Amino acid sequence: MIVQHSHNEFTKGRGAQFNPKNRFLKGEYVQEHSEGIDDWEQEERKTEYILDESKTIVNEVKSPDVGMSFSLNPYQGCEHGCIYCYARNTHEYWGYSAGLDFESRIVVKHNAPKLLRKFFENRNWQPAPVSLSGNTDCYQPIERKMKLTRQLLEICLEFRNPVGIITKNALVLRDLDLLQELAIRNLVCVYVSVTSVDEKLRSLLEPRTATYKGRLNVVQTLSRKGIPTGIMNAPLIPGLNDMHMHDTLKAASEAGALWAGYTIVRLNGAIGDIFKDWLYKTFPDRADKVWGQIEACHGGQVNDSRFSTRMRGEGKFAEMIRQQFKLYCRKFHLNETFFEYDLTAFRRIKGNQLELF
């Protein structure tokens, strides 16, 4: 059931406007009706960082429609605060809410580099691309201080294991030196997430991310430095950013992107409630229409877990988006080439010693 929250104040700089209940927790305090609580603390949330001693770091991806085999997430939760983020639901497994907690309580897997090294040292590992990150952004603000992503890239380079990156943060440019070394060996491909070119929309949809101009600059810088680069125009939200697809793909192509992909928004689990609350506060004039079009893309629901259709949607709106995307990609010469990682370069290193073959 989706609850529409009665408090109408919009908190700037945040995606989620409240903390929905964690479905795994029996007893917890949640704010359902702000006007009913006289002294509920509304002070600004400070971001907390929770150090976690993880046991494993590389996850095998079983889903057949996400385009990756293995993913690695040095951080859980994401300060970027994108309202639509499908990773919000995973925060409930950590005992937090998918709402404000997701963007203000960040789990830091500080032993990730050590675990990755151990993983690559294992004789059973057959080299395959590892994606940073399949879940939350590996270049979110705390990476500036922790440098976990940089250390992970250093290890990938050392072992010559292919790595894929998807990000919407300009901090990726800090690691140009490593990315160039990896690119020379066909071991890296970077995708930048660009949802629109409307900066006002970005500030509401993705409040703590790099500007669109900043992201297109990342695409341009990476491609000029010889790093294979594409964009994800995702998620497309009918009635909010689908009409910007032409300009977004054109700008990406002009910046040097070679490829583009897209998904249609789906609002699984707690995200439906969080997104609906945000939608009616930010776009009250067209909220009904947007919500109805999202439902029309997923067989009358906003959530969708069916492989192959969940990412692309179905029905007339989804088909229109698919046709337009194909047309614009052809027009702007995107997806004309195919990138292949070099899986033969891998070398197993034990205790800083190259293994003798």
Side-chain angles (χ1 to χ4, degrees):
M1 185 185 75
I2 288 180
V3 181
Q4 205 170 326
H5 292 261
S6 54
H7 51 292
N8 294 313
E9 311 82 28
F10 183 81
T11 309
K12 277 189 173 178
R14 286 286 173 205
Q17 300 294 301
F18 71 106
N19 258 338
K21 193 176 189 317
N22 182 326
R23 66 201 150 118
F24 299 118
L25 299 183
K26 284 199 173 80
E28 58 182 326
Y29 293 109
V30 290
Q31 182 183 5
E32 289 289 357
H33 303 286
S34 60
E35 68 274 18
I37 302 169
D38 295 331
D39 56 355
W40 189 283
E41 290 182 23
Q42 284 287 17
E43 62 200 45
E44 193 189 339
R45 263 181 176 252
K46 288 190 168 59
T47 306
E48 282 178 63
Y49 301 103
I50 299 118
L51 294 183
D52 179 70
E53 196 75 28
S54 302
K55 301 277 190 296
T56 58
I57 197 65
V58 179
N59 308 300
E60 187 174 359
V61 180
K62 301 279 207 261
S63 307
D65 57 354
V66 292
M68 64 177 83
S69 307
F70 296 90
S71 75
L72 195 170
N73 299 284
Y75 308 104
Q76 288 296 141
C78 184
E79 212 179 329
H80 286 158
C82 305
I83 189 61
Y84 52 74
C85 183
Y86 60 83
R88 285 181 176 275
N89 288 321
T90 62
H91 226 45
E92 295 187 331
Y93 295 110
W94 295 83
Y96 302 121
S97 169
L100 283 167
D101 281 356
F102 174 78
E103 52 198 84
S104 62
R105 288 182 166 176
I106 312 300
V107 177
V108 177
K109 301 176 186 175
H110 64 102
N111 61 340
K114 189 173 80 176
L115 290 172
L116 182 63
R117 177 176 293 282
K118 197 175 162 192
F119 185 84
F120 285 158
E121 284 172 356
N122 189 320
R123 284 183 170 275
N124 295 327
W125 171 245
Q126 296 297 315
V130 174
S131 293
L132 285 166
S133 301
N135 209 328
T136 53
D137 203 314
C138 58
Y139 280 106
Q140 60 177 289
I142 186 61
E143 167 61 19
R144 198 176 293 281
K145 181 184 173 190
M146 297 301 294
K147 298 187 173 67
L148 294 179
T149 299
R150 183 169 177 86
Q151 292 173 65
L152 295 167
L153 289 177
E154 285 171 342
I155 292 163
C156 287
L157 179 59
E158 191 182 334
F159 282 81
R160 307 285 194 259
N161 195 86
V163 59
I165 295 169
I166 182 157
T167 184
K168 53 185 68 161
N169 198 311
L171 183 58
V172 63
L173 296 180
R174 176 200 65 189
D175 296 335
L176 264 176
D177 56 334
L178 294 173
L179 297 173
Q180 283 180 282
E181 286 288 322
L182 287 159
I184 288 165
R185 298 170 173 84
N186 275 357
L187 293 174
V188 72
C189 182
V190 180
Y191 270 76
V192 181
S193 172
V194 188
T195 34
S196 170
V197 283
D198 179 343
E199 193 53 29
K200 192 179 173 206
L201 178 61
R202 181 207 62 81
S203 68
L204 295 166
L205 200 61
E206 305 166 339
R208 294 173 174 226
T209 53
T211 63
Y212 289 134
K213 197 176 171 185
R215 288 184 227 179
L216 289 165
N217 176 57
V218 168
V219 173
Q220 188 174 62
T221 307
L222 291 174
S223 54
R224 281 182 179 171
K225 295 288 185 182
I227 295 145
T229 310
I231 72 147
M232 279 302 289
N233 187 196
L236 290 172
I237 305 165
L240 277 190
N241 69 339
D242 61 319
M243 66 286 276
H244 306 153
M245 193 201 297
H246 174 278
D247 294 351
T248 304
L249 295 178
K250 181 174 186 279
S253 174
E254 287 170 355
L258 296 173
W259 309 284
Y262 83 95
T263 61
I264 287 178
V265 73
R266 58 194 180 98
L267 306 169
N268 287 13
I271 305 162
D273 196 2
I274 295 163
F275 186 90
K276 191 171 195 182
D277 177 70
W278 171 89
L279 180 63
Y280 278 84
K281 282 175 180 171
T282 47
F283 298 99
D285 54 327
R286 51 178 148 151
D288 287 340
K289 185 183 171 191
V290 171
W291 191 258
Q293 286 184 3
I294 295 172
E295 287 178 326
C297 288
H298 299 291
Q301 296 177 197
V302 294
N303 60 321
D304 198 343
S305 300
R306 298 165 298 167
F307 291 137
S308 75
T309 57
R310 61 180 185 163
M311 302 291 195
R312 291 287 182 263
E314 60 185 358
K316 62 175 185 178
F317 290 119
E319 181 56 26
M320 206 160 59
I321 285 170
R322 192 178 75 82
Q323 294 294 349
Q324 284 179 328
F325 186 82
K326 268 173 67 176
L327 175 72
Y328 300 148
C329 282
R330 204 160 52 238
K331 183 178 177 182
F332 301 125
H333 305 288
L334 293 160
N335 301 334
E336 290 183 342
T337 56
F338 181 72
F339 177 77
E340 213 164 342
Y341 290 105
D342 183 359
L343 301 178
T344 65
F346 184 80
R347 52 188 194 172
R348 193 164 276 109
I349 298 166
K350 194 90 174 166
N352 293 331
Q353 294 290 315
L354 274 175
E355 208 176 71
L356 294 170
F357 290 100

